[in-house]
Amino acid sequence: MKARLAASAVLALGLAIGATGCSMVTYQATTEHYDASDGVSVDVGDLDLRNVLVVSDDGTDGNLVMTVVNTGDRDQTLKITPEGADVVELEVPAHETVVLGSEDAEPVLLEGIDAEVGGLTPIFFQYASEEGIEKRIPVLDSRLYEGLAP
């Protein structure tokens, strides 16, 4: 009787581990951060840049679309340097969010970027003495972003 009870307990435990144990050793894709939008994310010190993309119909001039969140205690001047184009400076107040390039926000024109529409263009982001980062930013046309191309 005891042997049957012990065998039943071992079998139940084996079934429970077999049915649920795979999550203990299997890679969990839901723990990975990803950008669920067309744009990309960039973190530069206290500045979090979200959904960064360029809207351009000709690949020469583009509208920079992004949201910048300053999580720090100081106002910052973000320098945006597209490859082959002039530097754009953006004031980002402390603990504030700045939205750029959308229908309701001020456009940020990047002139002379020479980018392929549908491709990626390198843009360098930096402020103050913080180490900057260059990121390849998607260049999309106005078919998806109607009215946002320059």
Side-chain angles (χ1 to χ4, degrees):
M1 182 76 166
K2 287 184 181 182
R4 275 186 155 172
L5 187 56
S8 296
V10 168
L11 181 61
L13 181 63
L15 284 172
I17 289 174
T20 61
C22 63
S23 66
M24 292 189 307
V25 294
T26 303
Y27 169 74
Q28 298 294 314
T30 57
T31 62
E32 292 295 318
H33 169 77
Y34 70 98
D35 295 310
S37 180
D38 293 330
V40 296
S41 294
V42 181
D43 293 331
V44 182
D46 290 333
L47 300 182
D48 299 335
L49 288 64
R50 298 294 178 250
N51 197 29
V52 183
L53 59 97
V54 175
V55 181
S56 176
D57 283 332
D58 61 7
T60 302
D61 297 329
N63 177 22
L64 182 63
V65 177
M66 69 177 175
T67 300
V68 182
V69 180
N70 185 347
T71 60
D73 295 327
R74 303 174 113 179
D75 295 352
Q76 299 296 344
T77 301
L78 176 65
K79 293 181 182 178
I80 303 163
T81 311
E83 186 174 271
D86 292 335
V87 175
V88 175
E89 292 188 353
L90 173 68
E91 297 298 322
V92 186
H95 300 290
E96 293 289 328
T97 299
V98 177
V99 178
L100 300 173
S102 69
E103 293 174 350
D104 301 329
E106 189 69 29
V108 177
L109 184 61
L110 304 177
E111 297 181 289
I113 56 174
D114 192 28
E116 183 178 339
V117 176
L120 301 170
T121 189
I123 299 179
F124 186 76
F125 301 94
Q126 193 263 335
Y127 72 90
S129 62
E130 190 69 36
E131 182 178 344
I133 186 169
E134 182 177 271
K135 191 81 168 185
R136 296 175 58 77
I137 306 299
V139 180
L140 305 172
D141 61 18
S142 60
R143 288 181 289 178
L144 292 176
Y145 294 92
E146 189 174 327
L148 295 185

